[in-house]
PDB file of all heavy atoms in Angstrom:
ATOM      1  N   LYS A  88      91.328  96.638 108.241  1.00  0.00           N
ATOM      2  CA  LYS A  88      92.404  97.259 107.465  1.00  0.00           C
ATOM      3  C   LYS A  88      92.794  96.274 106.382  1.00  0.00           C
ATOM      4  O   LYS A  88      92.897  95.074 106.631  1.00  0.00           O
ATOM      5  CB  LYS A  88      93.608  97.575 108.367  1.00  0.00           C
ATOM      6  CG  LYS A  88      93.281  98.628 109.396  1.00  0.00           C
ATOM      7  CD  LYS A  88      94.464  98.892 110.298  1.00  0.00           C
ATOM      8  CE  LYS A  88      94.052  99.921 111.369  1.00  0.00           C
ATOM      9  NZ  LYS A  88      95.123 100.127 112.331  1.00  0.00           N
ATOM     10  N   TYR A  89      93.031  96.792 105.171  1.00  0.00           N
ATOM     11  CA  TYR A  89      93.300  95.954 104.019  1.00  0.00           C
ATOM     12  C   TYR A  89      94.611  96.343 103.359  1.00  0.00           C
ATOM     13  O   TYR A  89      95.028  97.500 103.384  1.00  0.00           O
ATOM     14  CB  TYR A  89      92.178  96.075 102.986  1.00  0.00           C
ATOM     15  CG  TYR A  89      90.860  95.544 103.473  1.00  0.00           C
ATOM     16  CD1 TYR A  89      89.929  96.376 104.083  1.00  0.00           C
ATOM     17  CD2 TYR A  89      90.548  94.196 103.347  1.00  0.00           C
ATOM     18  CE1 TYR A  89      88.721  95.886 104.529  1.00  0.00           C
ATOM     19  CE2 TYR A  89      89.331  93.698 103.800  1.00  0.00           C
ATOM     20  CZ  TYR A  89      88.433  94.549 104.389  1.00  0.00           C
ATOM     21  OH  TYR A  89      87.243  94.061 104.852  1.00  0.00           O
ATOM     22  N   LYS A  90      95.209  95.346 102.713  1.00  0.00           N
ATOM     23  CA  LYS A  90      96.432  95.559 101.932  1.00  0.00           C
ATOM     24  C   LYS A  90      96.224  94.906 100.571  1.00  0.00           C
ATOM     25  O   LYS A  90      96.061  93.682 100.480  1.00  0.00           O
ATOM     26  CB  LYS A  90      97.628  94.928 102.633  1.00  0.00           C
ATOM     27  CG  LYS A  90      98.925  94.977 101.850  1.00  0.00           C
ATOM     28  CD  LYS A  90     100.028  94.250 102.613  1.00  0.00           C
ATOM     29  CE  LYS A  90     101.241  94.003 101.777  1.00  0.00           C
ATOM     30  NZ  LYS A  90     102.212  93.160 102.488  1.00  0.00           N
ATOM     31  N   LEU A  91      96.183  95.723  99.535  1.00  0.00           N
ATOM     32  CA  LEU A  91      96.104  95.244  98.159  1.00  0.00           C
ATOM     33  C   LEU A  91      97.512  95.296  97.586  1.00  0.00           C
ATOM     34  O   LEU A  91      98.157  96.346  97.627  1.00  0.00           O
ATOM     35  CB  LEU A  91      95.173  96.134  97.336  1.00  0.00           C
ATOM     36  CG  LEU A  91      95.117  95.837  95.837  1.00  0.00           C
ATOM     37  CD1 LEU A  91      94.467  94.478  95.577  1.00  0.00           C
ATOM     38  CD2 LEU A  91      94.387  96.947  95.102  1.00  0.00           C
ATOM     39  N   THR A  92      98.006  94.171  97.087  1.00  0.00           N
ATOM     40  CA  THR A  92      99.347  94.104  96.523  1.00  0.00           C
ATOM     41  C   THR A  92      99.266  93.674  95.071  1.00  0.00           C
ATOM     42  O   THR A  92      98.724  92.610  94.765  1.00  0.00           O
ATOM     43  CB  THR A  92     100.233  93.103  97.298  1.00  0.00           C
ATOM     44  OG1 THR A  92     100.226  93.451  98.679  1.00  0.00           O
ATOM     45  CG2 THR A  92     101.657  93.122  96.773  1.00  0.00           C
ATOM     46  N   LEU A  93      99.783  94.505  94.185  1.00  0.00           N
ATOM     47  CA  LEU A  93      99.856  94.199  92.750  1.00  0.00           C
ATOM     48  C   LEU A  93     101.311  93.820  92.464  1.00  0.00           C
ATOM     49  O   LEU A  93     102.227  94.532  92.871  1.00  0.00           O
ATOM     50  CB  LEU A  93      99.451  95.407  91.929  1.00  0.00           C
ATOM     51  CG  LEU A  93      98.102  96.032  92.295  1.00  0.00           C
ATOM     52  CD1 LEU A  93      97.935  97.371  91.617  1.00  0.00           C
ATOM     53  CD2 LEU A  93      96.970  95.105  91.951  1.00  0.00           C
ATOM     54  N   VAL A  94     101.507  92.708  91.770  1.00  0.00           N
ATOM     55  CA  VAL A  94     102.859  92.184  91.545  1.00  0.00           C
ATOM     56  C   VAL A  94     103.092  91.990  90.047  1.00  0.00           C
ATOM     57  O   VAL A  94     102.224  91.484  89.339  1.00  0.00           O
ATOM     58  CB  VAL A  94     103.037  90.829  92.265  1.00  0.00           C
ATOM     59  CG1 VAL A  94     104.415  90.250  92.012  1.00  0.00           C
ATOM     60  CG2 VAL A  94     102.781  90.971  93.751  1.00  0.00           C
ATOM     61  N   ASP A  95     104.267  92.391  89.591  1.00  0.00           N
ATOM     62  CA  ASP A  95     104.679  92.147  88.215  1.00  0.00           C
ATOM     63  C   ASP A  95     106.051  91.497  88.239  1.00  0.00           C
ATOM     64  O   ASP A  95     107.034  92.146  88.616  1.00  0.00           O
ATOM     65  CB  ASP A  95     104.705  93.438  87.410  1.00  0.00           C
ATOM     66  CG  ASP A  95     104.996  93.159  85.951  1.00  0.00           C
ATOM     67  OD1 ASP A  95     106.187  92.960  85.624  1.00  0.00           O
ATOM     68  OD2 ASP A  95     104.056  93.112  85.148  1.00  0.00           O
ATOM     69  N   SER A  96     106.122  90.216  87.887  1.00  0.00           N
ATOM     70  CA  SER A  96     107.388  89.479  87.966  1.00  0.00           C
ATOM     71  C   SER A  96     108.422  89.988  86.957  1.00  0.00           C
ATOM     72  O   SER A  96     109.608  89.702  87.103  1.00  0.00           O
ATOM     73  CB  SER A  96     107.150  87.983  87.766  1.00  0.00           C
ATOM     74  OG  SER A  96     106.661  87.715  86.456  1.00  0.00           O
ATOM     75  N   GLY A  97     107.998  90.744  85.954  1.00  0.00           N
ATOM     76  CA  GLY A  97     108.935  91.319  84.976  1.00  0.00           C
ATOM     77  C   GLY A  97     109.513  92.649  85.426  1.00  0.00           C
ATOM     78  O   GLY A  97     110.297  93.253  84.701  1.00  0.00           O
ATOM     79  N   ASP A  98     109.109  93.118  86.614  1.00  0.00           N
ATOM     80  CA  ASP A  98     109.624  94.359  87.203  1.00  0.00           C
ATOM     81  C   ASP A  98     109.355  95.581  86.321  1.00  0.00           C
ATOM     82  O   ASP A  98     110.141  96.512  86.271  1.00  0.00           O
ATOM     83  CB  ASP A  98     111.117  94.218  87.491  1.00  0.00           C
ATOM     84  CG  ASP A  98     111.629  95.290  88.438  1.00  0.00           C
ATOM     85  OD1 ASP A  98     110.815  95.855  89.197  1.00  0.00           O
ATOM     86  OD2 ASP A  98     112.846  95.579  88.407  1.00  0.00           O
ATOM     87  N   ASN A  99     108.213  95.559  85.592  1.00  0.00           N
ATOM     88  CA  ASN A  99     107.898  96.699  84.729  1.00  0.00           C
ATOM     89  C   ASN A  99     106.437  97.137  84.834  1.00  0.00           C
ATOM     90  O   ASN A  99     105.953  97.872  83.974  1.00  0.00           O
ATOM     91  CB  ASN A  99     108.270  96.404  83.274  1.00  0.00           C
ATOM     92  CG  ASN A  99     107.595  95.134  82.770  1.00  0.00           C
ATOM     93  OD1 ASN A  99     106.521  94.754  83.223  1.00  0.00           O
ATOM     94  ND2 ASN A  99     108.253  94.462  81.850  1.00  0.00           N
TER      95      ASN A  99
END
Side-chain angles (χ1 to χ4, degrees):
K88 294 178 183 175
Y89 294 93
K90 175 183 168 187
L91 174 67
T92 305
L93 307 169
V94 178
D95 186 280
S96 64
D98 196 23
N99 55 29

